[in-house]
Amino acid sequence: MNYRHIYHAGNFADVLKHAVLARLVRYMQNKDKAFRVLDTHAGIGLYDLSSEEAQKTGEWRDGIGRVLEAELVPQVAELLEPYLTAIRELNPEGGVRLYPGSPKLARMLFRPQDRLSAMELHPDDFQRLHRLFEGDHHARITELDGWLALGAHLPPKEKRGIVLVDPPFEEEGEYERLVDGLAKAWRRFPGGTYCLWYPIKKDAPIKQFHEALQALEIPKMLCAELTIKSDRGFTGLTGSGLIIVNPPFTLKDELHALLPALKDMLAQDRFASQRAFWLRGEH
């Protein structure tokens, strides 16, 4: 319960996660039918990067700060358009003082028929999230352990949805919980699109995690990873990964355009790398 995302908001991991989330939302909107975004570990929803906490780490400067200053080729600009447009709407005077967490970003991209269910267990963060969406009939905010939402809140009544699972990875066994949570959720809602975030750092069990996911035999699982520096002599976060279950058929090609550009923008040394590949399904 100690994790507070304000220290990390807008960092390179957020850039990858939110750029892909925005692509998923836009893809769902190719059909008129309503859908729901279920955000299991929602945080406070909106982050002030001028706050003492965000300034203390300054992680956003090497994340969204770099992206906003970069010269984007047309294809990459188009892929990042929904994500960056939301950020510019929040910061009409330029720069990036306010940064949207995933529930706020999704909500900003919605049409009138789309809906949000956001879970947050931390009492203070839940109150802030609740205030942010107070009076918004498109959003349902619940004080709940997000892992429980994967059973209790699926399938959504719209029968279409994106499930974002972005745990803080504070405790041992979170990779295993992610596998178990997906297995439980997919049994209840096999047609949903799932986006699971995980950290890449020294000695993280990524290979075992991928093998455990493959063993679930879910037909379509796409993996995207972005590493910004070497983990030699460094125990903190060096990379960020996403598992996308039932991805849009366009997403792999989009990632092949987007990930190299993000690597070039966000690299902190020559060991930065990126990859997008099928864990299961279309090779």
Side-chain angles (χ1 to χ4, degrees):
M1 293 292 285
N2 294 324
Y3 179 86
R4 308 306 285 272
H5 192 67
I6 182 60
Y7 292 102
H8 313 291
N11 71 357
F12 77 93
D14 265 4
V15 169
L16 175 62
K17 176 177 62 188
H18 292 149
V20 170
L21 175 62
R23 300 306 313 156
L24 296 177
V25 169
R26 279 287 180 258
Y27 183 81
M28 295 291 277
Q29 292 170 339
N30 286 338
K31 293 182 179 176
D32 289 337
K33 199 166 181 287
F35 68 92
R36 184 173 294 269
V37 171
L38 175 67
D39 191 338
T40 62
H41 298 76
I44 63 174
L46 187 64
Y47 298 90
D48 183 350
L49 300 184
S50 69
S51 68
E52 186 180 338
E53 298 94 335
Q55 291 291 329
K56 191 173 181 179
T57 60
E59 288 186 21
W60 63 271
R61 292 190 184 91
D62 286 326
I64 187 58
R66 289 196 190 185
V67 176
L68 289 173
E69 289 173 1
E71 296 250 351
L72 304 177
V73 299
Q75 185 184 16
V76 173
E78 186 180 343
L79 293 173
L80 289 175
E81 181 272 328
Y83 168 49
L84 296 183
T85 296
I87 290 169
R88 289 179 180 123
E89 281 178 20
L90 286 170
N91 299 278
E93 295 174 3
V96 57
R97 185 178 74 83
L98 294 177
Y99 184 83
S102 43
K104 178 67 173 175
L105 175 63
R107 178 66 187 91
M108 291 179 74
L109 298 174
F110 278 177
R111 306 164 301 179
Q113 64 266 45
D114 303 327
R115 296 291 183 268
L116 170 72
S117 290
M119 317 295 154
E120 178 51 51
L121 184 59
H122 193 292
D124 295 342
D125 289 359
F126 164 73
Q127 290 297 335
R128 292 180 69 174
L129 185 68
H130 190 269
R131 283 197 298 274
L132 181 66
F133 288 103
E134 202 159 8
D136 184 346
H137 301 301
H138 293 77
R140 184 171 67 189
I141 313 302
T142 308
E143 189 171 3
L144 181 71
D145 181 344
W147 296 111
L148 299 177
L150 292 174
H153 288 258
L154 292 176
K157 66 180 183 182
E158 294 82 2
K159 300 295 188 286
R160 298 180 74 222
I162 300 166
V163 182
L164 178 66
V165 189
D166 176 23
F169 277 82
E170 279 187 301
E171 300 169 20
E172 289 289 313
E174 291 283 63
Y175 291 94
E176 292 83 356
R177 283 183 92 182
L178 207 47
V179 175
D180 294 343
L182 174 61
K184 178 171 70 174
W186 191 78
R187 283 195 297 271
R188 295 181 64 95
F189 186 35
T193 294
Y194 295 83
C195 186
L196 317 178
W197 180 85
Y198 60 95
I200 299 173
K201 52 175 73 175
K202 193 176 183 65
D203 298 326
I206 304 301
K207 185 170 183 287
Q208 298 93 314
F209 173 57
H210 286 173
E211 288 170 352
L213 287 166
Q214 288 168 327
L216 297 179
E217 298 193 353
I218 292 172
K220 287 189 179 179
M221 279 194 279
L222 185 61
C223 179
E225 291 185 343
L226 175 67
T227 302
I228 57 162
K229 62 181 175 181
S230 166
D231 63 8
R232 191 176 299 172
F234 183 75
T235 56
L237 191 70
T238 56
S240 172
L242 297 174
I243 303 295
I244 304 103
V245 173
N246 295 329
F249 74 95
T250 53
L251 187 62
K252 187 158 186 275
D253 285 344
E254 292 182 357
L255 289 171
H256 280 310
L258 189 55
L259 286 173
L262 290 179
K263 186 202 82 169
D264 290 346
M265 282 184 263
L266 302 174
Q268 294 187 15
D269 68 22
R270 63 190 176 89
F271 297 101
S273 65
Q274 54 79 27
R275 59 179 184 158
F277 62 97
W278 289 102
L279 265 182
R280 281 186 64 88
E282 303 175 24
H283 287 276

